[in-house]
Amino acid sequence: MTQNNRKIATLLAITTLLLTGAAHAETLRLSTLKQPGSDGAQAAEKFAALVGERTEGRVEVKVYPASQLGDWTEVYEQVMQGAVDMAMQPLATADDKRLAITWFPYAFTNYETAKQSLSPGGAVFDIVSEAIADKGLTPLGVYGEGMGGAGFAGAVENPSDTELKRNLKIRVWPGGVTHRVLLERFGFNTATLPWAELYTGMQTGVVDGQIGGTAGMALESFKDITKTWVQYNDHFEGDWFIVNSERYASLSEADQKILLDAAQEVSSERFEQVEAADAKHLDTMRQAGIEVVTFDDATLDKLAGVARTDVWPQIAGELGEETFGQLKSSLGID
Protein backbone atom coordinates (compact mmCIF):
# COMPACT_ATOMS: atom_id res chain seq x y z
CA MET A 1 0.00 0.00 0.00
CA THR A 2 1.40 3.36 -1.00
CA GLN A 3 1.78 6.19 1.51
CA ASN A 4 -1.13 8.07 -0.10
CA ASN A 5 -3.32 4.99 0.09
CA ARG A 6 -2.46 4.53 3.76
CA LYS A 7 -3.44 8.16 4.44
CA ILE A 8 -6.73 7.69 2.62
CA ALA A 9 -7.41 4.49 4.54
CA THR A 10 -6.67 6.23 7.83
CA LEU A 11 -9.00 9.12 6.97
CA LEU A 12 -11.75 6.71 5.99
CA ALA A 13 -11.34 4.84 9.27
CA ILE A 14 -11.54 8.06 11.28
CA THR A 15 -14.60 9.20 9.30
CA THR A 16 -16.28 5.84 9.90
CA LEU A 17 -15.66 6.10 13.63
CA LEU A 18 -17.04 9.64 13.73
CA LEU A 19 -20.12 8.66 11.76
CA THR A 20 -20.64 5.63 13.98
CA GLY A 21 -20.43 7.83 17.09
CA ALA A 22 -22.81 10.37 15.59
CA ALA A 23 -25.28 7.62 14.71
CA HIS A 24 -25.41 6.56 18.34
CA ALA A 25 -25.56 10.08 19.79
CA GLU A 26 -28.70 10.78 21.81
CA THR A 27 -30.47 14.06 21.12
CA LEU A 28 -32.73 15.48 23.82
CA ARG A 29 -35.08 18.35 23.04
CA LEU A 30 -35.43 20.84 25.90
CA SER A 31 -38.24 23.40 25.90
CA THR A 32 -38.23 26.63 27.93
CA LEU A 33 -40.37 29.75 28.14
CA LYS A 34 -37.27 31.94 28.46
CA GLN A 35 -36.56 34.41 25.68
CA PRO A 36 -33.32 34.10 23.67
CA GLY A 37 -30.54 36.06 25.35
CA SER A 38 -32.24 36.11 28.77
CA ASP A 39 -30.49 34.79 31.88
CA GLY A 40 -32.81 31.78 31.84
CA ALA A 41 -32.16 30.91 28.21
CA GLN A 42 -28.42 31.24 28.80
CA ALA A 43 -28.72 28.88 31.78
CA ALA A 44 -30.48 26.31 29.59
CA GLU A 45 -27.76 26.65 26.95
CA LYS A 46 -25.06 26.23 29.61
CA PHE A 47 -26.76 23.04 30.80
CA ALA A 48 -26.76 21.78 27.21
CA ALA A 49 -23.09 22.66 26.75
CA LEU A 50 -22.08 20.90 29.99
CA VAL A 51 -23.95 17.75 29.00
CA GLY A 52 -22.43 17.71 25.51
CA GLU A 53 -18.92 18.27 26.85
CA ARG A 54 -19.08 15.77 29.71
CA THR A 55 -20.70 13.01 27.65
CA GLU A 56 -18.13 13.65 24.90
CA GLY A 57 -20.95 14.10 22.43
CA ARG A 58 -22.88 10.96 23.39
CA VAL A 59 -25.79 13.15 24.47
CA GLU A 60 -26.78 16.39 22.75
CA VAL A 61 -29.33 18.70 24.37
CA LYS A 62 -31.05 20.98 21.86
CA VAL A 63 -32.66 24.02 23.51
CA TYR A 64 -35.92 25.48 22.17
CA PRO A 65 -36.49 28.89 23.85
CA ALA A 66 -39.53 31.18 23.81
CA SER A 67 -42.05 28.30 23.95
CA GLN A 68 -41.19 27.22 20.40
CA LEU A 69 -42.52 23.73 21.13
CA GLY A 70 -45.80 25.02 22.56
CA ASP A 71 -47.38 26.65 25.60
CA TRP A 72 -45.74 25.49 28.81
CA THR A 73 -48.85 23.62 30.00
CA GLU A 74 -48.93 21.74 26.67
CA VAL A 75 -45.21 21.03 26.88
CA TYR A 76 -45.65 19.65 30.39
CA GLU A 77 -48.07 17.06 28.99
CA GLN A 78 -45.72 16.37 26.08
CA VAL A 79 -42.81 15.65 28.42
CA MET A 80 -45.04 13.29 30.38
CA GLN A 81 -45.90 11.49 27.12
CA GLY A 82 -42.32 11.54 25.84
CA ALA A 83 -43.11 13.70 22.79
CA VAL A 84 -40.70 16.29 24.25
CA ASP A 85 -37.71 14.97 26.19
CA MET A 86 -37.05 17.76 28.67
CA ALA A 87 -38.21 21.17 29.84
CA MET A 88 -37.09 24.03 32.06
CA GLN A 89 -40.35 25.60 33.21
CA PRO A 90 -42.95 25.77 36.00
CA LEU A 91 -44.79 22.62 37.04
CA ALA A 92 -48.42 22.20 36.04
CA THR A 93 -50.39 21.62 39.22
CA ALA A 94 -53.91 21.06 37.90
CA ASP A 95 -53.96 17.29 38.43
CA ASP A 96 -51.86 17.00 41.60
CA LYS A 97 -52.49 19.34 44.50
CA ARG A 98 -49.19 18.40 46.14
CA LEU A 99 -47.39 20.51 43.54
CA ALA A 100 -48.97 23.65 44.99
CA ILE A 101 -46.04 23.46 47.41
CA THR A 102 -43.90 25.13 44.72
CA TRP A 103 -45.70 28.43 45.44
CA PHE A 104 -47.11 27.73 48.91
CA PRO A 105 -46.91 31.09 50.75
CA TYR A 106 -44.01 31.47 53.16
CA ALA A 107 -42.72 27.93 52.79
CA PHE A 108 -39.47 29.89 53.01
CA THR A 109 -38.69 33.60 53.24
CA ASN A 110 -35.06 33.92 52.15
CA TYR A 111 -32.71 32.65 49.48
CA GLU A 112 -30.74 30.25 51.66
CA THR A 113 -33.75 28.32 52.92
CA ALA A 114 -35.16 28.27 49.38
CA LYS A 115 -31.91 26.78 48.07
CA GLN A 116 -31.85 24.12 50.77
CA SER A 117 -35.46 23.11 50.22
CA LEU A 118 -35.29 23.13 46.41
CA SER A 119 -32.13 21.02 46.14
CA PRO A 120 -32.02 17.19 46.15
CA GLY A 121 -32.61 16.04 49.72
CA GLY A 122 -34.54 19.22 50.50
CA ALA A 123 -38.18 19.04 51.59
CA VAL A 124 -39.81 20.65 48.56
CA PHE A 125 -37.54 18.92 46.03
CA ASP A 126 -38.28 15.51 47.53
CA ILE A 127 -42.03 16.17 47.70
CA VAL A 128 -42.05 17.22 44.05
CA SER A 129 -39.93 14.21 43.05
CA GLU A 130 -42.44 11.85 44.60
CA ALA A 131 -45.42 13.68 43.13
CA ILE A 132 -44.24 13.79 39.52
CA ALA A 133 -42.71 10.30 39.49
CA ASP A 134 -46.23 8.92 38.99
CA LYS A 135 -46.50 11.08 35.88
CA GLY A 136 -43.34 9.71 34.33
CA LEU A 137 -41.23 12.76 35.13
CA THR A 138 -37.87 13.13 36.89
CA PRO A 139 -36.71 16.48 38.33
CA LEU A 140 -33.05 17.39 37.91
CA GLY A 141 -32.84 20.91 39.36
CA VAL A 142 -34.48 24.29 39.83
CA TYR A 143 -33.56 27.50 38.04
CA GLY A 144 -34.41 30.27 40.48
CA GLU A 145 -36.26 33.23 39.01
CA GLY A 146 -36.43 35.11 42.31
CA MET A 147 -38.50 35.96 45.36
CA GLY A 148 -42.12 36.88 44.81
CA GLY A 149 -43.90 40.11 45.56
CA ALA A 150 -46.90 42.20 44.58
CA GLY A 151 -47.24 45.04 42.09
CA PHE A 152 -49.82 47.82 42.37
CA ALA A 153 -51.17 50.45 40.00
CA GLY A 154 -51.17 53.02 42.81
CA ALA A 155 -50.02 53.66 46.36
CA VAL A 156 -50.37 51.08 49.15
CA GLU A 157 -50.90 52.14 52.74
CA ASN A 158 -48.53 50.49 55.21
CA PRO A 159 -48.21 47.14 53.37
CA SER A 160 -46.59 45.35 56.33
CA ASP A 161 -49.62 45.97 58.59
CA THR A 162 -51.58 42.72 58.39
CA GLU A 163 -54.43 44.13 60.51
CA LEU A 164 -55.19 47.05 58.20
CA LYS A 165 -58.18 46.69 55.85
CA ARG A 166 -57.54 48.25 52.44
CA ASN A 167 -59.95 49.01 49.63
CA LEU A 168 -57.65 47.43 47.06
CA LYS A 169 -58.47 44.48 44.82
CA ILE A 170 -55.54 42.21 43.94
CA ARG A 171 -55.52 39.72 41.10
CA VAL A 172 -54.83 36.07 41.86
CA TRP A 173 -54.51 33.47 39.15
CA PRO A 174 -57.32 30.96 38.48
CA GLY A 175 -56.77 28.22 41.03
CA GLY A 176 -54.66 30.52 43.22
CA VAL A 177 -56.50 29.62 46.41
CA THR A 178 -53.38 29.84 48.55
CA HIS A 179 -52.68 33.46 47.71
CA ARG A 180 -56.33 34.47 47.78
CA VAL A 181 -56.50 33.47 51.44
CA LEU A 182 -53.09 35.04 52.13
CA LEU A 183 -54.00 38.41 50.62
CA GLU A 184 -57.35 38.55 52.33
CA ARG A 185 -55.62 37.92 55.67
CA PHE A 186 -53.18 40.72 54.81
CA GLY A 187 -56.11 43.12 54.38
CA PHE A 188 -56.73 43.11 50.63
CA ASN A 189 -59.68 42.15 48.46
CA THR A 190 -59.04 39.65 45.68
CA ALA A 191 -60.28 38.85 42.18
CA THR A 192 -59.51 36.01 39.78
CA LEU A 193 -58.29 37.12 36.38
CA PRO A 194 -56.53 35.22 33.57
CA TRP A 195 -52.96 36.29 32.85
CA ALA A 196 -53.89 37.44 29.35
CA GLU A 197 -56.36 39.95 30.81
CA LEU A 198 -54.19 41.20 33.67
CA TYR A 199 -52.48 44.13 31.95
CA THR A 200 -55.78 45.59 30.77
CA GLY A 201 -57.35 44.82 34.15
CA MET A 202 -54.72 46.85 36.01
CA GLN A 203 -54.77 49.60 33.39
CA THR A 204 -58.55 50.06 33.57
CA GLY A 205 -58.92 49.59 37.33
CA VAL A 206 -60.69 46.24 37.25
CA VAL A 207 -57.97 45.23 39.70
CA ASP A 208 -55.54 47.41 41.63
CA GLY A 209 -52.60 45.03 41.58
CA GLN A 210 -51.27 41.53 41.09
CA ILE A 211 -49.29 38.89 42.95
CA GLY A 212 -47.62 35.65 41.93
CA GLY A 213 -44.44 36.76 40.21
CA THR A 214 -41.09 38.46 40.76
CA ALA A 215 -39.84 42.00 40.28
CA GLY A 216 -38.16 40.90 37.06
CA MET A 217 -41.40 39.46 35.72
CA ALA A 218 -43.26 42.66 36.65
CA LEU A 219 -40.70 44.74 34.75
CA GLU A 220 -41.12 42.55 31.68
CA SER A 221 -44.93 42.74 31.59
CA PHE A 222 -46.19 45.63 33.74
CA LYS A 223 -43.41 48.20 34.03
CA ASP A 224 -45.42 51.14 32.70
CA ILE A 225 -48.51 50.51 34.85
CA THR A 226 -46.80 49.52 38.12
CA LYS A 227 -46.53 52.41 40.58
CA THR A 228 -45.71 50.45 43.75
CA TRP A 229 -43.88 47.16 44.23
CA VAL A 230 -43.99 45.37 47.60
CA GLN A 231 -41.30 42.73 48.08
CA TYR A 232 -43.30 40.36 50.27
CA ASN A 233 -41.01 37.32 49.71
CA ASP A 234 -44.26 35.34 49.76
CA HIS A 235 -42.89 32.52 47.60
CA PHE A 236 -39.88 31.61 45.50
CA GLU A 237 -40.44 31.53 41.76
CA GLY A 238 -38.53 28.79 39.98
CA ASP A 239 -38.40 26.84 36.72
CA TRP A 240 -37.84 23.12 37.08
CA PHE A 241 -35.49 21.04 34.94
CA ILE A 242 -37.67 17.99 34.23
CA VAL A 243 -37.04 15.01 31.97
CA ASN A 244 -39.25 12.20 30.77
CA SER A 245 -38.41 9.31 33.10
CA GLU A 246 -38.34 6.60 30.41
CA ARG A 247 -36.10 8.71 28.21
CA TYR A 248 -33.85 9.39 31.20
CA ALA A 249 -33.70 5.69 32.09
CA SER A 250 -32.69 4.85 28.51
CA LEU A 251 -29.38 6.64 29.07
CA SER A 252 -26.46 4.95 30.78
CA GLU A 253 -26.16 5.50 34.52
CA ALA A 254 -23.03 7.56 33.86
CA ASP A 255 -24.88 9.85 31.45
CA GLN A 256 -27.86 10.12 33.80
CA LYS A 257 -25.50 11.37 36.48
CA ILE A 258 -23.96 13.84 34.06
CA LEU A 259 -27.41 15.30 33.33
CA LEU A 260 -28.24 15.51 37.03
CA ASP A 261 -24.88 17.06 37.93
CA ALA A 262 -25.12 19.58 35.09
CA ALA A 263 -28.61 20.66 36.14
CA GLN A 264 -27.48 20.97 39.74
CA GLU A 265 -24.42 23.00 38.75
CA VAL A 266 -26.56 25.44 36.77
CA SER A 267 -29.13 25.57 39.57
CA SER A 268 -26.53 26.14 42.28
CA GLU A 269 -24.83 28.87 40.26
CA ARG A 270 -28.16 30.62 39.79
CA PHE A 271 -28.92 30.45 43.51
CA GLU A 272 -25.67 32.33 44.06
CA GLN A 273 -26.78 34.99 41.57
CA VAL A 274 -30.52 35.29 42.15
CA GLU A 275 -30.40 37.60 45.16
CA ALA A 276 -28.25 40.05 43.20
CA ALA A 277 -30.57 39.67 40.20
CA ASP A 278 -33.58 40.55 42.36
CA ALA A 279 -31.74 43.55 43.81
CA LYS A 280 -30.89 44.74 40.30
CA HIS A 281 -34.53 44.50 39.24
CA LEU A 282 -35.60 46.49 42.30
CA ASP A 283 -33.06 49.18 41.43
CA THR A 284 -34.39 49.26 37.87
CA MET A 285 -37.86 49.79 39.29
CA ARG A 286 -36.67 52.70 41.45
CA GLN A 287 -34.96 54.30 38.46
CA ALA A 288 -38.25 53.98 36.54
CA GLY A 289 -40.06 55.90 39.28
CA ILE A 290 -41.73 52.91 40.91
CA GLU A 291 -41.97 53.03 44.70
CA VAL A 292 -40.26 49.89 46.01
CA VAL A 293 -41.10 48.61 49.50
CA THR A 294 -38.79 46.05 51.10
CA PHE A 295 -38.77 44.59 54.61
CA ASP A 296 -36.07 43.64 57.10
CA ASP A 297 -35.74 40.06 58.32
CA ALA A 298 -37.76 40.71 61.47
CA THR A 299 -40.72 42.01 59.45
CA LEU A 300 -40.51 39.12 57.00
CA ASP A 301 -40.51 36.69 59.92
CA LYS A 302 -43.59 38.45 61.30
CA LEU A 303 -45.40 38.19 57.95
CA ALA A 304 -44.43 34.52 57.71
CA GLY A 305 -45.68 33.94 61.25
CA VAL A 306 -49.08 35.44 60.45
CA ALA A 307 -49.30 33.36 57.27
CA ARG A 308 -48.30 30.13 58.99
CA THR A 309 -50.59 30.66 61.99
CA ASP A 310 -53.70 32.10 60.34
CA VAL A 311 -53.50 31.18 56.66
CA TRP A 312 -51.93 27.74 56.55
CA PRO A 313 -54.76 26.00 58.44
CA GLN A 314 -57.20 27.31 55.82
CA ILE A 315 -55.15 26.20 52.81
CA ALA A 316 -53.62 22.97 54.11
CA GLY A 317 -56.05 21.03 51.95
CA GLU A 318 -54.35 22.44 48.85
CA LEU A 319 -51.38 20.20 49.65
CA GLY A 320 -53.04 17.26 51.36
CA GLU A 321 -52.43 16.13 54.91
CA GLU A 322 -49.25 14.14 54.26
CA THR A 323 -47.51 16.81 52.19
CA PHE A 324 -48.56 19.57 54.59
CA GLY A 325 -47.10 17.53 57.44
CA GLN A 326 -43.82 17.11 55.55
CA LEU A 327 -43.60 20.85 54.98
CA LYS A 328 -44.20 21.70 58.65
CA SER A 329 -41.72 19.05 59.74
CA SER A 330 -39.03 20.48 57.45
CA LEU A 331 -39.50 23.87 59.13
CA GLY A 332 -39.62 22.48 62.67
CA ILE A 333 -43.27 23.44 63.07
CA ASP A 334 -45.50 21.20 65.21
Side-chain angles (χ1 to χ4, degrees), residues 155-156 226-230 285-286 289-293:
V156 184
T226 299
K227 303 305 178 186
T228 304
W229 176 263
V230 182
M285 283 183 164
R286 294 184 184 101
I290 298 171
E291 181 183 359
V292 174
V293 181

PDB file of all heavy atoms in Angstrom, residues 155-156 226-230 285-286 289-293:
ATOM      1  N   ALA A 155     -50.680  53.729  45.055  1.00  0.00           N
ATOM      2  CA  ALA A 155     -50.018  53.662  46.361  1.00  0.00           C
ATOM      3  C   ALA A 155     -50.657  52.587  47.236  1.00  0.00           C
ATOM      4  O   ALA A 155     -51.821  52.213  47.044  1.00  0.00           O
ATOM      5  CB  ALA A 155     -50.107  55.018  47.051  1.00  0.00           C
ATOM      6  N   VAL A 156     -49.883  52.091  48.205  1.00  0.00           N
ATOM      7  CA  VAL A 156     -50.366  51.083  49.154  1.00  0.00           C
ATOM      8  C   VAL A 156     -50.063  51.577  50.563  1.00  0.00           C
ATOM      9  O   VAL A 156     -48.906  51.847  50.902  1.00  0.00           O
ATOM     10  CB  VAL A 156     -49.676  49.710  48.939  1.00  0.00           C
ATOM     11  CG1 VAL A 156     -50.273  48.676  49.881  1.00  0.00           C
ATOM     12  CG2 VAL A 156     -49.824  49.273  47.489  1.00  0.00           C
ATOM     13  N   THR A 226     -47.094  49.805  36.714  1.00  0.00           N
ATOM     14  CA  THR A 226     -46.796  49.523  38.117  1.00  0.00           C
ATOM     15  C   THR A 226     -46.263  50.787  38.791  1.00  0.00           C
ATOM     16  O   THR A 226     -45.267  51.361  38.345  1.00  0.00           O
ATOM     17  CB  THR A 226     -45.766  48.383  38.254  1.00  0.00           C
ATOM     18  OG1 THR A 226     -46.299  47.190  37.683  1.00  0.00           O
ATOM     19  CG2 THR A 226     -45.429  48.125  39.715  1.00  0.00           C
ATOM     20  N   LYS A 227     -46.941  51.219  39.838  1.00  0.00           N
ATOM     21  CA  LYS A 227     -46.526  52.412  40.578  1.00  0.00           C
ATOM     22  C   LYS A 227     -45.883  52.062  41.924  1.00  0.00           C
ATOM     23  O   LYS A 227     -45.074  52.816  42.440  1.00  0.00           O
ATOM     24  CB  LYS A 227     -47.725  53.332  40.818  1.00  0.00           C
ATOM     25  CG  LYS A 227     -48.448  53.753  39.537  1.00  0.00           C
ATOM     26  CD  LYS A 227     -47.502  54.402  38.538  1.00  0.00           C
ATOM     27  CE  LYS A 227     -48.235  54.781  37.246  1.00  0.00           C
ATOM     28  NZ  LYS A 227     -47.299  55.281  36.200  1.00  0.00           N
ATOM     29  N   THR A 228     -46.268  50.893  42.472  1.00  0.00           N
ATOM     30  CA  THR A 228     -45.709  50.448  43.749  1.00  0.00           C
ATOM     31  C   THR A 228     -45.407  48.960  43.666  1.00  0.00           C
ATOM     32  O   THR A 228     -46.224  48.185  43.152  1.00  0.00           O
ATOM     33  CB  THR A 228     -46.693  50.691  44.910  1.00  0.00           C
ATOM     34  OG1 THR A 228     -47.065  52.062  44.946  1.00  0.00           O
ATOM     35  CG2 THR A 228     -46.071  50.293  46.250  1.00  0.00           C
ATOM     36  N   TRP A 229     -44.237  48.580  44.154  1.00  0.00           N
ATOM     37  CA  TRP A 229     -43.879  47.157  44.227  1.00  0.00           C
ATOM     38  C   TRP A 229     -43.561  46.831  45.681  1.00  0.00           C
ATOM     39  O   TRP A 229     -42.731  47.496  46.307  1.00  0.00           O
ATOM     40  CB  TRP A 229     -42.674  46.817  43.354  1.00  0.00           C
ATOM     41  CG  TRP A 229     -42.239  45.395  43.506  1.00  0.00           C
ATOM     42  CD1 TRP A 229     -41.239  44.915  44.303  1.00  0.00           C
ATOM     43  CD2 TRP A 229     -42.824  44.258  42.873  1.00  0.00           C
ATOM     44  NE1 TRP A 229     -41.152  43.546  44.200  1.00  0.00           N
ATOM     45  CE2 TRP A 229     -42.129  43.109  43.328  1.00  0.00           C
ATOM     46  CE3 TRP A 229     -43.863  44.085  41.971  1.00  0.00           C
ATOM     47  CZ2 TRP A 229     -42.433  41.824  42.902  1.00  0.00           C
ATOM     48  CZ3 TRP A 229     -44.178  42.793  41.537  1.00  0.00           C
ATOM     49  CH2 TRP A 229     -43.468  41.693  42.013  1.00  0.00           C
ATOM     50  N   VAL A 230     -44.216  45.804  46.216  1.00  0.00           N
ATOM     51  CA  VAL A 230     -43.986  45.372  47.599  1.00  0.00           C
ATOM     52  C   VAL A 230     -43.302  44.013  47.570  1.00  0.00           C
ATOM     53  O   VAL A 230     -43.873  43.021  47.090  1.00  0.00           O
ATOM     54  CB  VAL A 230     -45.307  45.289  48.388  1.00  0.00           C
ATOM     55  CG1 VAL A 230     -45.018  44.875  49.829  1.00  0.00           C
ATOM     56  CG2 VAL A 230     -46.038  46.630  48.355  1.00  0.00           C
ATOM     57  N   MET A 285     -36.538  49.246  38.972  1.00  0.00           N
ATOM     58  CA  MET A 285     -37.862  49.794  39.291  1.00  0.00           C
ATOM     59  C   MET A 285     -37.747  51.204  39.872  1.00  0.00           C
ATOM     60  O   MET A 285     -38.472  52.123  39.470  1.00  0.00           O
ATOM     61  CB  MET A 285     -38.580  48.883  40.293  1.00  0.00           C
ATOM     62  CG  MET A 285     -39.160  47.628  39.684  1.00  0.00           C
ATOM     63  SD  MET A 285     -40.072  46.674  40.929  1.00  0.00           S
ATOM     64  CE  MET A 285     -41.027  45.578  39.872  1.00  0.00           C
ATOM     65  N   ARG A 286     -36.844  51.379  40.821  1.00  0.00           N
ATOM     66  CA  ARG A 286     -36.668  52.697  41.454  1.00  0.00           C
ATOM     67  C   ARG A 286     -36.297  53.751  40.410  1.00  0.00           C
ATOM     68  O   ARG A 286     -36.800  54.876  40.421  1.00  0.00           O
ATOM     69  CB  ARG A 286     -35.597  52.610  42.545  1.00  0.00           C
ATOM     70  CG  ARG A 286     -35.993  51.742  43.734  1.00  0.00           C
ATOM     71  CD  ARG A 286     -34.923  51.785  44.818  1.00  0.00           C
ATOM     72  NE  ARG A 286     -35.247  50.887  45.926  1.00  0.00           N
ATOM     73  CZ  ARG A 286     -34.708  49.673  46.100  1.00  0.00           C
ATOM     74  NH1 ARG A 286     -33.798  49.227  45.224  1.00  0.00           N
ATOM     75  NH2 ARG A 286     -35.058  48.927  47.118  1.00  0.00           N
ATOM     76  N   GLY A 289     -39.088  55.125  38.531  1.00  0.00           N
ATOM     77  CA  GLY A 289     -40.057  55.902  39.284  1.00  0.00           C
ATOM     78  C   GLY A 289     -41.068  55.081  40.061  1.00  0.00           C
ATOM     79  O   GLY A 289     -42.045  55.625  40.582  1.00  0.00           O
ATOM     80  N   ILE A 290     -40.837  53.786  40.154  1.00  0.00           N
ATOM     81  CA  ILE A 290     -41.730  52.906  40.912  1.00  0.00           C
ATOM     82  C   ILE A 290     -41.316  52.934  42.386  1.00  0.00           C
ATOM     83  O   ILE A 290     -40.117  52.816  42.693  1.00  0.00           O
ATOM     84  CB  ILE A 290     -41.665  51.469  40.367  1.00  0.00           C
ATOM     85  CG1 ILE A 290     -42.139  51.427  38.909  1.00  0.00           C
ATOM     86  CG2 ILE A 290     -42.502  50.511  41.226  1.00  0.00           C
ATOM     87  CD1 ILE A 290     -41.901  50.100  38.213  1.00  0.00           C
ATOM     88  N   GLU A 291     -42.273  53.097  43.270  1.00  0.00           N
ATOM     89  CA  GLU A 291     -41.972  53.030  44.705  1.00  0.00           C
ATOM     90  C   GLU A 291     -41.750  51.566  45.082  1.00  0.00           C
ATOM     91  O   GLU A 291     -42.634  50.725  44.871  1.00  0.00           O
ATOM     92  CB  GLU A 291     -43.097  53.606  45.542  1.00  0.00           C
ATOM     93  CG  GLU A 291     -42.787  53.566  47.038  1.00  0.00           C
ATOM     94  CD  GLU A 291     -43.918  54.056  47.920  1.00  0.00           C
ATOM     95  OE1 GLU A 291     -44.964  54.454  47.369  1.00  0.00           O
ATOM     96  OE2 GLU A 291     -43.750  54.034  49.154  1.00  0.00           O
ATOM     97  N   VAL A 292     -40.595  51.261  45.629  1.00  0.00           N
ATOM     98  CA  VAL A 292     -40.257  49.892  46.011  1.00  0.00           C
ATOM     99  C   VAL A 292     -40.251  49.780  47.530  1.00  0.00           C
ATOM    100  O   VAL A 292     -39.566  50.546  48.212  1.00  0.00           O
ATOM    101  CB  VAL A 292     -38.880  49.481  45.448  1.00  0.00           C
ATOM    102  CG1 VAL A 292     -38.468  48.103  45.972  1.00  0.00           C
ATOM    103  CG2 VAL A 292     -38.923  49.479  43.917  1.00  0.00           C
ATOM    104  N   VAL A 293     -41.017  48.829  48.052  1.00  0.00           N
ATOM    105  CA  VAL A 293     -41.101  48.606  49.497  1.00  0.00           C
ATOM    106  C   VAL A 293     -40.456  47.263  49.810  1.00  0.00           C
ATOM    107  O   VAL A 293     -40.864  46.228  49.280  1.00  0.00           O
ATOM    108  CB  VAL A 293     -42.558  48.594  49.986  1.00  0.00           C
ATOM    109  CG1 VAL A 293     -42.611  48.375  51.495  1.00  0.00           C
ATOM    110  CG2 VAL A 293     -43.258  49.894  49.607  1.00  0.00           C
TER     111      VAL A 293
END
